[in-house]
Amino acid sequence: PRTVLLVSLAPDGSVLGGVRIAPCAQPDIGWWAGSRLVVADTAHSGGIGPALIRSACAHVEARGVLRFDAGVQDRYAPLFTSLGS
């Protein structure tokens, strides 16, 4: 029930991408995880992925989360590394 879905929208309202973040345990002990980062094929060059990652990090930081993990496919590891994630 505490799952959060962050969505990026184009000016026309179409979905450009999204990411799901949620606590890893109930009750919430301050350990959250990000998952299911998706970006529309047409938005890959628009910086939507990095913006969603930054938004997810900012969201959990604002909630006082103590640990934030994400399962990352090997091919996307350089993107997360470049963002300091």
Side-chain angles (χ1 to χ4, degrees):
R2 296 208 42 216
T3 298
V4 176
L5 180 61
L6 303 173
V7 178
S8 176
L9 300 175
D12 67 2
S14 62
V15 175
L16 299 174
V19 64
R20 180 174 62 193
I21 57 176
C24 292
Q26 293 297 335
D28 183 355
I29 59 171
W31 177 12
W32 281 49
S35 62
R36 303 292 183 198
L37 174 66
V38 295
V39 176
D41 290 339
T42 58
H44 277 226
S45 64
I48 300 302
L52 285 166
I53 294 165
R54 287 186 194 103
S55 293
C57 292
H59 188 88
V60 297
E61 184 176 343
R63 287 181 175 246
V65 169
L66 303 171
R67 178 177 172 169
F68 185 46
D69 295 327
V72 178
Q73 295 175 10
D74 289 341
R75 64 184 175 162
Y76 298 120
L79 168 63
F80 281 78
T81 301
S82 74
L83 296 171
S85 302

